[in-house]
Amino acid sequence: MWALRQTNALQKAFNSSSRVRCYSTTVRLFKNDDKKDTPKYQTINNTGLSNEEIEKILKEEEAKMIAKQKARFVENWKPGMRKKPLQASFKLEEFEYELEPEKHLPRWTLLDKRCGALAIKVGMMPVFDEWGVRHPCTVLFMDQNIVIGHKTMEKNGYIAAQIAAGERKRKNVGKSVLGQYQAFLSEEENPPYLVREFRITDESLLPPLHSQIHARHFVPGQNIDVSGISKGKGFQGPMKRHNFGGMPASHGVSLSHRAHGSTGQCQDPGKVFKGKKMAGHMGTERVTTQNVRIIKIDRGRNLLYVLGAVPGNKGHFVEVRDAVKKPLWGTDKVLDAIDRPPLPTFEFEKIDGSGTAHEVFMPLPATDPFAPDDEEAA
Amino acid sequence: MLGIAARIGRFAASSSGLPRWTAAAFSTNLRTPEEMAVLHHGLRPRHRAPKFKSPRKRASKLLQELQGELVKSNKANKPDVWGTHFRVGDAIELVIGRENAEKNEIEKIRGVVLGISRKGLDHSVLLRDVVFGQPVERRILLHSPLLQSVKLLEENFVYKGKRKVKRAKLYFLRDRNPELTRVTKW
């Protein structure tokens, strides 16, 4: 009786609205029944609908759920792509880009990489700007950076540009290495000192073969990452190597003022863990300094004046790449507030910059940084 | 400039087989001036192309050049600063302010020179003065674009001309009577 009442109610509901759940109760059979032939669960259809109709409704619901899931899934999604339409933003340009993406160039994001360069660390000197602020700068000399080769997805499985820099005496370079450069080296020219690869995200960003990368490849005001082999410090104790605290100079400390102290626990674990910080060789390893700002570029002599210190010794090569974390594209801190660097590289004819300095400074603040704060408060 | 082969050839042609070290070879009557140069300097190769230098040497040379150029140009552009000659122990007045600064932004600083640090672009002067009863020391970089002019007030201010200053750095004056280093009147 109860079942009948329920089915009548369901039928009414089914006729009145389109959203109805089809019920069919299931009854669990006793344990002693044969498990192979008979099913574990027996379905009893206590709705007024036939089995076919129930199946049809169930399929429709399933299709709806699948469609909902698919709608959330964006095909060919790339990092930076939007999954839902833009609703709010601090910049008007983003709405323009949403409405007409074809008119604007594809964005230059943090994940996009272009070619870097090799430079010699020349030394440090101060640079005064027009406001009178003294910037302690390292001078990097981009010595004849020539693109030797390309690495592509078809041949190598990754995209990169091979860049050669510097000069070496022909007698110091082996024949096997000379053979690599025969394509673009004449008999008078010296082979390069160093060859390094720089990873790139897209094949259209590969600079053309045998082209030179000048200092203007970089923009004054941008941030760069500089990687070099740090100065060698030799065998050093843990205080210098790992910033250990050491022990007091007096008060009974015996023979261990600069020692590392305990190396572990007792019987458990009963060993010293691998990687325990101890004394050892320090320095002469690859180190990257991130977010180093370019203060000034000397276009004639291919010099980069870069704020702060850079790993390595004077006269040694360092790798210079756009900053991975904070390159400052699109901000006021970069010259002309450009939103992307020159791609794939800056092209201009050979300029013999000997003796002349064409210096381009980074954009300076609008107000005097030495002005006292009372004026702003007033 | 003659080539090596040309030089040897000329030498051989004119000497008629005489070796270099005989007395006849050294006599000046038989030799042309060019041969004399070869005899004097020897037949060592001359560098036509610029000599190849390692990156380290080029880097140090380049740094020297850059710093030297800047120092030279700064000294040429600012005769008011670099033209005045002062020594340790003198009283000096500096005018500090940007070129486009207004009148109230320019300040005049006086003091006794306790020491001069000559480090190229970081050429600096340590000044000491007693202002409103408070001793004030200040180190000023002479290559700064904020520095407009330097004026010598009094030579040998420290000893009032009675004794010579026999030190490069007068740090001992910090422990002495402040009247010795007071340049401003109040």
Side-chain angles (χ1 to χ4, degrees):
Chain A
M1 283 296 285
W2 175 82
L4 272 173
R5 261 190 243 153
Q6 221 179 10
T7 50
N8 286 336
L10 272 172
Q11 271 179 340
K12 280 186 192 171
F14 194 72
N15 292 331
S16 60
S17 71
S18 59
R19 290 172 99 198
V20 155
R21 289 246 169 96
C22 300
Y23 291 99
S24 58
T25 52
T26 57
V27 171
R28 195 177 174 180
L29 300 172
F30 288 107
K31 272 188 191 177
N32 296 329
D33 292 333
D34 295 319
K35 288 179 186 176
K36 284 185 187 175
D37 296 340
T38 54
K40 251 192 181 177
Y41 296 92
Q42 194 185 28
T43 54
I44 298 171
N45 190 353
N46 60 355
T47 59
L49 310 162
S50 65
N51 278 336
E52 290 167 355
E53 286 178 355
I54 288 170
E55 277 178 30
K56 200 179 164 189
I57 289 163
L58 283 171
K59 273 189 183 173
E60 280 173 15
E61 290 284 315
E62 215 183 305
K64 277 187 200 170
M65 281 165 67
I66 289 167
K68 233 187 180 181
Q69 268 189 355
K70 269 197 174 176
R72 285 172 65 192
F73 176 78
V74 176
E75 284 181 11
N76 300 327
W77 179 82
K78 280 187 179 166
M81 268 176 71
R82 235 179 260 286
K83 288 188 180 176
K84 295 180 191 173
L86 177 67
Q87 285 175 3
S89 163
F90 288 109
K91 295 184 188 175
L92 278 173
E93 297 134 10
E94 298 205 5
F95 287 104
E96 287 174 27
Y97 187 82
E98 284 274 315
L99 286 170
E100 293 165 324
E102 297 126 11
K103 279 194 179 179
H104 304 268
L105 289 167
R107 283 174 158 189
W108 186 254
T109 58
L110 289 177
L111 292 159
D112 296 314
K113 285 187 200 174
R114 63 165 182 156
C115 192
L118 293 165
I120 299 176
K121 179 178 171 179
V122 175
M124 287 193 78
M125 56 188 269
V127 168
F128 287 97
D129 67 13
E130 286 174 4
W131 288 118
V133 180
R134 179 181 178 274
H135 304 279
C137 290
T138 311
V139 182
L140 299 174
F141 172 41
M142 288 173 62
D143 183 20
Q144 284 187 317
N145 289 10
I146 299 171
V147 183
I148 283 182
H150 289 162
K151 298 269 166 149
T152 50
M153 284 302 282
E154 295 167 9
K155 275 191 177 178
N156 311 100
Y158 67 99
I159 308 170
Q162 265 184 332
I163 291 179
E167 274 183 320
R168 257 211 118 149
K169 284 188 188 174
R170 223 162 238 272
K171 62 164 187 149
N172 291 339
V173 177
K175 278 190 191 174
S176 56
V177 173
L178 261 182
Q180 284 180 27
Y181 312 133
Q182 224 104 72
F184 71 97
L185 263 190
S186 63
E187 282 183 10
E188 294 161 354
E189 282 176 353
N190 287 323
Y193 192 95
L194 201 71
V195 176
R196 289 283 180 269
E197 276 188 20
F198 291 95
R199 288 288 287 269
I200 291 171
T201 45
D202 199 33
E203 294 204 8
S204 62
L205 300 170
L206 282 167
L209 271 179
H210 310 322
S211 66
Q212 195 180 354
I213 294 187
H214 300 267
R216 299 204 69 185
H217 180 77
F218 299 103
V219 179
Q222 74 162 108
N223 275 351
I224 49 174
D225 292 342
V226 184
S227 312
I229 295 176
S230 59
K231 286 184 175 178
K233 310 278 178 191
F235 194 99
Q236 287 297 337
M239 271 180 87
K240 190 175 178 77
R241 201 178 176 216
H242 299 299
N243 301 320
F244 276 20
M247 268 148 268
S250 72
H251 290 298
V253 170
S254 47
L255 307 176
S256 15
H257 303 284
R258 297 185 66 91
H260 47 52
S262 164
T263 51
Q265 299 79 30
C266 197
Q267 199 170 14
D268 278 323
K271 64 174 183 178
V272 178
F273 293 126
K274 276 198 193 292
K276 176 84 194 65
K277 290 183 182 177
M278 286 184 171
H281 188 258
M282 183 180 168
T284 322
E285 57 180 0
R286 186 187 161 95
V287 170
T288 305
T289 312
Q290 291 187 320
N291 294 336
V292 178
R293 191 138 183 237
I294 297 180
I295 303 266
K296 191 165 83 168
I297 288 182
D298 188 334
R299 298 164 351 201
R301 285 187 267 214
N302 273 341
L303 295 174
L304 298 175
Y305 289 79
V306 131
L307 182 67
V310 140
N313 263 310
K314 289 192 269 239
H316 285 73
F317 276 94
V318 294
E319 287 180 27
V320 177
R321 300 187 302 282
D322 295 335
V324 155
K325 289 184 178 173
K326 216 170 142 190
L328 300 179
W329 299 123
T331 59
D332 291 334
K333 295 191 172 181
V334 170
L335 196 68
D336 299 332
I338 51 176
D339 67 333
R340 67 188 61 232
L343 300 167
T345 182
F346 192 85
E347 296 164 11
F348 66 109
E349 295 143 334
K350 264 194 184 175
I351 290 182
D352 179 25
S354 54
T356 52
H358 305 279
E359 291 174 351
V360 190
F361 225 91
M362 68 170 182
L364 297 170
T367 51
D368 186 2
F370 288 130
D373 292 333
D374 297 337
E375 290 174 1
E376 286 173 25
Chain B
M1 289 287 284
L2 293 170
I4 298 162
R7 269 187 252 143
I8 292 169
R10 275 196 82 139
F11 183 80
S14 58
S15 69
S16 63
L18 278 173
R20 238 175 79 189
W21 53 85
T22 53
F26 281 112
S27 63
T28 52
N29 295 331
L30 301 170
R31 303 285 165 258
T32 59
E34 285 134 331
E35 287 159 27
M36 284 307 301
V38 171
L39 285 170
H40 181 74
H41 296 290
L43 291 171
R44 63 182 172 83
R46 297 298 201 266
H47 293 286
R48 299 295 175 76
K51 186 181 176 186
F52 180 85
K53 282 196 162 176
S54 72
R56 210 171 102 211
K57 287 193 176 178
R58 287 167 69 203
S60 61
K61 194 85 196 258
L62 179 63
L63 189 67
Q64 263 184 16
E65 263 181 40
L66 291 171
Q67 286 172 338
E69 264 181 31
L70 251 188
V71 166
K72 239 186 177 179
S73 68
N74 283 350
K75 289 194 174 177
N77 293 341
K78 286 204 164 172
D80 293 334
V81 174
W82 299 100
T84 48
H85 182 68
F86 58 88
R87 296 168 73 185
V88 171
D90 299 347
I92 273 179
E93 188 181 69
L94 308 171
V95 176
I96 290 185
R98 285 177 292 117
E99 284 177 13
N100 309 326
E102 298 156 12
K103 264 197 174 179
N104 58 352
E105 287 174 357
I106 294 174
E107 59 173 314
K108 293 191 177 180
I109 292 168
R110 281 164 294 280
V112 175
V113 178
L114 288 190
I116 300 173
S117 173
R118 296 182 181 86
K119 294 197 170 173
L121 277 170
D122 287 328
H123 190 120
S124 68
V125 155
L126 184 63
L127 293 178
R128 184 185 168 89
D129 195 6
V130 179
V131 175
F132 294 114
Q134 180 71 29
V136 169
E137 268 190 34
R138 199 164 155 175
R139 181 174 288 281
I140 291 156
L141 298 166
L142 294 181
H143 282 279
S144 161
L146 294 176
L147 188 58
Q148 286 185 8
S149 68
V150 173
K151 183 176 148 194
L152 179 63
L153 296 174
E154 197 182 316
E155 264 188 29
N156 201 348
F157 178 86
V158 166
Y159 294 134
K160 307 286 185 277
K162 288 177 188 171
R163 264 177 289 167
K164 272 191 198 174
V165 173
K166 284 202 154 184
R167 264 174 187 56
K169 305 285 188 292
L170 308 177
Y171 301 142
F172 64 90
L173 291 173
R174 290 168 180 163
D175 307 322
R176 295 274 201 91
N177 189 4
E179 292 296 310
L180 283 169
T181 56
R182 190 164 68 95
V183 181
T184 46
K185 283 180 187 173
W186 54 81

